[in-house]
Amino acid sequence: MAITRPIWQMHGKDLFDPALPIFVNRAVETFQLTEHRHDFLEISYVGEGAGTHHVGEETFPVAHGDIFFLPVGISHVFRPSTAAPKHPLVVYNCVIAPEAARRLAEAVPGGEALLPLLASGGCRRFRDPYGEFYRLIQRLHYEYLTDQPGREASLHQGVLALLLYLFRLDARQGESGSAVASTRFETVLETIHSRFDQELPARELAAIAGIGERQFHRLFAQHAGMPLKAYHQNVRIREACRLLRTTDRKISDIAAAVGYQDIAYFNALFKRKNGLSPRAYRKGEPT
């Protein structure tokens, strides 16, 4: 006998304001939320952390920069990789009624090109390699939470920007066959360069690459020419060098800005990488 699992049905009427068919939130995912399906379109963006996304019968490892376009009727749920509060899985969700999305696309010149994306019957997965989508959805979330003049127009404009971005990503993936696979390590490197001041666990970067952690360490060293830890340190120290050359900030402030709270460790690492202490480097002293 087949075992069925409970799937919760969500309705847009429970989320939307009467005159606004758009809902945006920032959710810290837990193990308590039930798998669910809904009668609206949903765009989900993984803003922080790592975990899994269960979509129908499929399971995807997820990390910062993963985007999902979920049509009506698809069951799904996010799960964090750990219950530890220090490593939350944070997901931004943009929800819009299907008919409202269609009207929005049809209201702008050329917008009919978006209609096949809106009518797609399956879940679509994308990557945000350079953080542009992240900035768009953060701005949309801010607009949703505030009550500034022109809020409704701004929200519709923001949703249109998200849809257009996904449309272009979709076209790019169609041309290349599998843009996610072909650029996975480019995306990992971009993540390191854009978030160098943060701790970047290998499990999170492996999830971005879509492979296991052990395999990730091996392939990263092949791709970058050095282990992950050394590469991350080099990016941080290069930024510290730039700040030492171009600002008069305290060395302790610069250490913190590139991710090191332990000033003694930073000084020792900097000298090992450059042959000079941070103070000597700033003064331009010889080795």
Side-chain angles (χ1 to χ4, degrees):
M1 183 178 67
I3 300 176
T4 59
R5 59 187 187 275
I7 298 178
W8 176 33
Q9 178 67 42
M10 294 183 68
H11 300 281
K13 64 181 177 61
D14 298 322
L15 300 175
F16 301 138
D17 293 334
L20 183 64
I22 296 171
F23 173 80
V24 187
N25 77 335
R26 177 185 182 275
V28 177
E29 302 294 345
T30 69
F31 292 95
Q32 280 68 53
L33 181 64
T34 305
E35 183 178 358
H36 53 279
R37 59 169 57 96
H38 36 69
D39 62 0
F40 45 76
L41 302 177
E42 181 173 345
I43 300 169
S44 296
Y45 183 90
V46 180
E48 298 175 35
T52 54
H53 189 196
H54 303 266
V55 183
E57 300 302 321
E58 295 186 87
T59 300
F60 301 94
V62 298
H64 174 75
D66 275 321
I67 311 167
F68 291 86
F69 181 82
L70 298 152
V72 171
I74 295 288
S75 65
H76 75 113
V77 67
F78 284 95
R79 294 287 185 234
S81 58
T82 173
K86 289 185 178 180
H87 304 287
L89 175 61
V90 177
V91 177
Y92 290 82
N93 300 292
C94 172
V95 167
I96 184 168
E99 63 277 9
R102 188 175 60 254
R103 288 197 304 269
L104 180 61
E106 292 173 340
V108 297
E112 66 276 359
L114 304 177
L115 296 178
L117 174 66
L118 298 177
S120 100
C123 168
R124 310 295 292 274
R125 185 187 187 191
F126 304 93
R127 283 291 305 165
D128 179 28
Y130 304 114
E132 184 178 350
F133 194 92
Y134 191 25
R135 290 187 286 273
L136 289 174
I137 202 164
Q138 282 187 310
R139 179 65 188 177
L140 184 67
H141 182 237
Y142 171 78
E143 286 287 344
Y144 186 83
L145 294 178
T146 60
D147 191 20
Q148 299 186 83
R151 174 175 179 261
E152 184 177 354
S154 179
L155 288 173
H156 281 84
Q157 180 187 47
V159 170
L160 186 62
L162 296 187
L163 293 173
L164 180 58
Y165 193 92
L166 295 185
F167 167 74
R168 289 177 172 174
L169 282 181
D170 193 45
R172 214 172 299 153
Q173 289 187 177
E175 292 170 1
S176 62
S178 179
V180 172
S182 65
T183 62
R184 59 189 181 180
F185 274 99
E186 178 186 348
T187 303
V188 167
L189 296 179
E190 176 62 24
T191 300
I192 295 170
H193 281 267
S194 63
R195 298 168 56 201
F196 59 84
D197 59 321
Q198 303 173 26
E199 293 302 319
L200 296 171
R203 65 176 182 275
E204 180 177 341
L205 298 176
I208 291 174
I211 56 179
E213 189 172 336
R214 182 177 298 180
Q215 183 186 17
F216 170 79
H217 280 292
R218 178 173 58 81
L219 293 179
F220 184 91
Q222 291 178 6
H223 188 85
M226 65 186 72
L228 170 63
K229 182 178 180 180
Y231 190 93
H232 193 189
Q233 286 176 338
N234 285 350
V235 173
R236 285 176 159 182
I237 295 301
R238 279 199 300 270
E239 175 63 12
C241 289
R242 187 188 70 80
L243 292 172
L244 286 165
R245 290 194 310 268
T246 61
T247 75
D248 58 359
R249 293 170 64 177
K250 293 181 180 178
I251 291 174
S252 58
D253 290 342
I254 290 175
V258 301
Y260 296 111
Q261 303 302 322
D262 185 338
I263 186 64
Y265 179 84
F266 169 75
N267 285 335
L269 178 63
F270 190 97
K271 187 169 185 178
R272 178 159 59 85
K273 296 283 186 181
N274 293 290
L276 293 169
S277 70
R279 190 177 303 279
Y281 182 92
R282 170 172 271 171
K283 291 180 178 179
E285 295 177 1
T287 306

